[in-house]
Amino acid sequence: FILVLLGLLFVQLRDRSVMDLPLAPSPWSELRALDAGVVNAKLRRDGRGTAVAITEINRLEERMGELRVSFAQGEGSFYSQEDNDAIHQELLTYLNLRTALLRTVWTYRGAHDDVKEGQTEARAFLLAYASAATLFEKAVAIVDTFADDEQTQRKLNEGDLAWGISDNTYNRLLASLSNAEVVSQLQEAASRFDRLHETQAYGSGPPWDELAEAALHARPAIQEAAGRIGDYKLNLALREVRSYVNDPLYQAQSLISTWIGDFRLKDRPRHRGLIGPHQVEELREQLQPGDILIERRNWFLSNAFLPGFWPHAALYLGDQEALEELGVTEDARVVPHWDEFLGQDALGHPYAVLEAISEGVVFTTLEHSVGEADAVAVLRLRLTKAQRREAVARAFSHHDKPYDFEFDFFSTDRLFCSEVVYRAYDGMLELPLKNIMGRLTLPVDTFVEVYASSGSQDRPFDLIQFLDMDEKGGQAFLSSESEFINTLQRSRFTFLK
């Protein structure tokens, strides 16, 4: 019976999809048709962000090695809360970096397989390949490093719902290494990279040199893994058999788990949240420079690692006219970034928002920041015009900083989403930092907590508008102050309302 079951599972595990890789078609076929200047600017920006992410994941690998040595020497223990926090912190960082790099793979994997297409296509391909190769290399490192360490495997598979860490991380990485289609595509891409690298069709200098170096560094891991697909597949099948034998409800649970795992709200059409275009335009009429946007995107739930219903915060900057009226355009902190702010995104929408996303602290559009969200609340601080001017100028000064994948408030050279708002209003707004996983940080729900815990006369900011989500009805709707406060009681896993 066990041999038959093993055989069936071995076949079943033939081609599992890559965890967290979007299923929707790559947008590159549409992006490449846009204005060349816009496309090249996006390639450079995404290239810089990807190079930073690869550097961070390399540093993380070093820290994980040090952590493993400390456990092997008896200096760490899985029964210590402090040591468990350290493990979870590193796992969070890894999953966040992995999500960022997978998004790059998805965005550019449609790059034309023809060297004659020129530098633009070569750079798009390099972005996708370097990201995919690096992720594969790190998956090999994690799976092989802990192949004989059942305790660590168990810890990596544990999951943490409070922080959005799904279970079976180790098993899913093992599944990606046993996927023959993935390995075959990487080998084909490696051959194409060799041709491009020989002629340096993608150009030279940063970030292209860094990305090419990462691709070359990952090559041995890909070549070695290609000869071990059978071993990985057998290992995975044996693990599945153990689960089946130990759990008589395996089949029913597996069916339910598979359905839940495939339920991807992010598979809505691209550039479409529950908030409609007309709501974006109505909201734009009410916004002022310096307004705080707190947002939720259901289909990117797995990418949000801070606890609470609200996973993201951004800062509204406004348009050229509003900023000129505010008097910030000649500020020394604004001038270096002004020309870029006056630009547009790949879809022709004007920049109006500053936010920290995986690519770094960047200018985005209201159509992207709010129009791709499912719920948004606008908060406006009770400040003088001079204070708002200072806050907006500070915000500009943080543009182009790398994203802080560790959510660590101690450093200011790298920022995450709520930290951008915090730094802009430092000294004007008191927000209590929380110690989570051994680090001081600022969950976005803190904005709601501050609002809810203050009387109407004492609040540091006002609620300008709250667009709540109706996932079942497929739309957002104007909601009340009381319901805004009640979001503190909602689970971060709330899909339907």
Side-chain angles (χ1 to χ4, degrees):
F1 170 75
I2 295 296
L3 289 176
V4 172
L5 179 60
L6 179 59
L8 290 174
L9 282 170
F10 195 89
V11 173
Q12 176 190 353
L13 300 177
R14 187 171 45 203
D15 277 321
R16 288 189 173 179
S17 60
V18 178
M19 173 180 64
D20 294 332
L21 182 64
L23 299 177
S26 166
W28 178 241
S29 59
E30 298 177 18
L31 292 174
R32 62 155 65 97
L34 300 175
D35 176 77
V38 172
V39 175
N40 287 323
K42 177 173 174 56
L43 284 168
R44 285 193 297 272
R45 189 183 78 180
D46 288 353
R48 290 196 300 267
T50 300
V52 169
I54 290 175
T55 298
E56 287 299 312
I57 208 168
N58 287 332
R59 291 174 179 168
L60 175 63
E61 183 179 17
E62 294 177 4
R63 295 199 302 271
M64 289 174 66
E66 294 169 358
L67 196 61
R68 187 183 188 224
V69 169
S70 71
F71 273 73
Q73 295 177 345
E75 299 171 0
S77 170
F78 289 115
Y79 298 96
S80 162
Q81 185 59 48
E82 182 179 354
D83 291 335
N84 268 276
D85 286 349
I87 293 169
H88 278 131
Q89 182 63 52
E90 300 296 16
L91 183 56
L92 283 171
T93 302
Y94 168 73
L95 292 173
N96 201 16
L97 286 163
R98 189 175 188 275
T99 298
L101 291 174
L102 279 173
R103 191 177 299 130
T104 300
V105 174
W106 169 68
T107 301
Y108 294 106
R109 66 181 176 184
H112 201 285
D113 192 8
D114 186 346
V115 179
K116 296 179 181 179
E117 289 294 324
Q119 190 177 78
T120 299
E121 295 291 336
R123 287 181 171 180
F125 166 78
L126 179 59
L127 268 167
Y129 176 64
S131 299
T134 297
L135 284 175
F136 192 87
E137 175 204 355
K138 301 312 176 191
V140 170
I142 292 173
V143 168
D144 288 355
T145 297
F146 301 112
D148 299 320
D149 188 343
E150 292 190 4
Q151 275 195 317
T152 302
Q153 290 177 23
R154 180 180 174 185
K155 183 60 62 177
L156 292 174
N157 279 330
E158 219 171 56
D160 186 339
L161 290 178
W163 272 67
I165 302 177
S166 59
D167 58 2
N168 288 322
T169 294
Y170 183 87
N171 287 357
R172 291 181 181 183
L173 292 177
L174 179 59
S176 69
L177 300 184
S178 67
N179 191 320
E181 182 180 354
V182 168
V183 176
S184 176
Q185 289 177 353
L186 279 171
Q187 288 180 305
E188 290 178 10
S191 297
R192 182 182 175 196
F193 169 74
D194 288 342
R195 298 195 305 270
L196 295 174
H197 184 61
E198 184 176 351
T199 61
Q200 282 198 309
Y202 43 76
S204 60
W208 315 113
D209 289 346
E210 291 93 332
L211 296 177
E213 183 180 350
L216 290 170
H217 186 268
R219 174 65 63 81
I222 296 173
Q223 292 175 333
E224 182 180 354
R228 299 173 56 195
I229 293 177
D231 293 338
Y232 288 133
K233 194 184 296 292
L234 180 60
N235 188 354
L236 186 62
L238 287 170
R239 298 172 75 88
E240 294 282 351
V241 167
R242 286 196 293 268
S243 297
Y244 189 104
V245 171
N246 293 334
D247 187 354
L249 298 178
Y250 174 83
Q251 287 180 314
Q253 291 177 339
S254 177
L255 178 63
I256 295 172
S257 297
T258 299
W259 181 83
I260 292 174
D262 291 341
F263 186 65
R264 298 188 177 209
L265 295 176
K266 62 183 174 183
D267 286 342
R268 296 194 193 113
R270 290 193 308 112
H271 308 299
R272 177 70 173 92
L274 296 179
I275 297 174
H278 68 285
Q279 291 172 313
V280 172
E281 292 309 312
E282 289 174 357
L283 187 62
R284 195 193 306 270
E285 295 300 317
Q286 300 184 51
L287 290 170
Q288 294 180 8
D291 284 349
I292 300 169
L293 308 173
I294 61 173
E295 305 169 357
R296 176 183 176 84
R297 288 166 169 77
N298 283 335
W299 66 94
F300 284 127
L301 192 61
S302 63
N303 300 342
F305 296 121
L306 294 177
F309 176 79
W310 297 100
H312 186 65
L315 200 66
Y316 181 73
L317 298 176
D319 56 19
Q320 180 176 356
E321 182 180 355
L323 291 172
E324 287 175 348
E325 195 278 330
L326 186 60
V328 300
T329 57
E330 301 301 321
D331 189 289
R333 293 165 290 185
V334 175
V335 171
H337 312 285
W338 184 244
D339 286 344
E340 184 170 347
F341 173 74
L342 294 180
Q344 299 177 336
D345 71 358
L347 298 175
H349 299 133
Y351 294 133
V353 176
L354 182 77
E355 57 185 331
I357 54 179
S358 60
E359 291 87 349
V361 182
V362 298
F363 297 131
T364 60
T365 67
L366 201 62
E367 289 80 2
H368 165 78
S369 190
V370 172
E372 295 181 25
D374 298 312
V376 64
V378 181
L379 304 174
R380 181 172 300 156
L381 269 69
R382 298 172 178 177
L383 300 175
T384 65
K385 183 176 180 179
Q387 287 175 312
R388 283 199 301 124
R389 182 188 307 120
E390 174 64 18
V392 169
R394 285 183 189 173
F396 266 91
S397 73
H398 296 299
H399 174 256
D400 215 26
K401 286 186 177 182
Y403 186 79
D404 186 355
F405 290 99
E406 297 181 331
F407 308 110
D408 186 2
F409 251 75
F410 181 79
S411 62
T412 58
D413 58 335
R414 302 169 187 272
L415 304 179
F416 59 96
C417 67
S418 58
E419 191 178 6
V420 171
V421 178
Y422 182 92
R423 298 296 175 192
Y425 285 113
D426 189 20
M428 307 178 209
L429 173 64
E430 291 187 14
L431 293 169
L433 302 183
K434 297 183 180 181
N435 192 317
I436 298 178
M437 295 286 186
R439 308 223 177 174
L440 286 177
T441 190
L442 181 65
V444 178
D445 273 26
T446 304
F447 291 98
V448 189
E449 291 173 355
V450 169
Y451 185 90
S453 63
S454 307
S456 59
Q457 300 301 317
D458 302 323
R459 287 171 179 151
F461 41 70
D462 297 306
L463 175 65
I464 303 303
Q465 188 171 115
F466 172 35
L467 289 173
D468 204 352
M469 64 179 193
D470 177 7
E471 181 67 51
K472 194 171 183 178
Q475 62 183 350
F477 62 96
L478 190 62
S479 192
S480 64
E481 176 189 64
S482 60
E483 197 60 39
F484 170 67
I485 294 174
N486 285 339
T487 60
L488 290 173
Q489 309 306 319
R490 297 185 194 176
S491 165
R492 68 193 304 271
F493 301 106
T494 300
F495 290 154
L496 304 178
K497 184 175 181 298

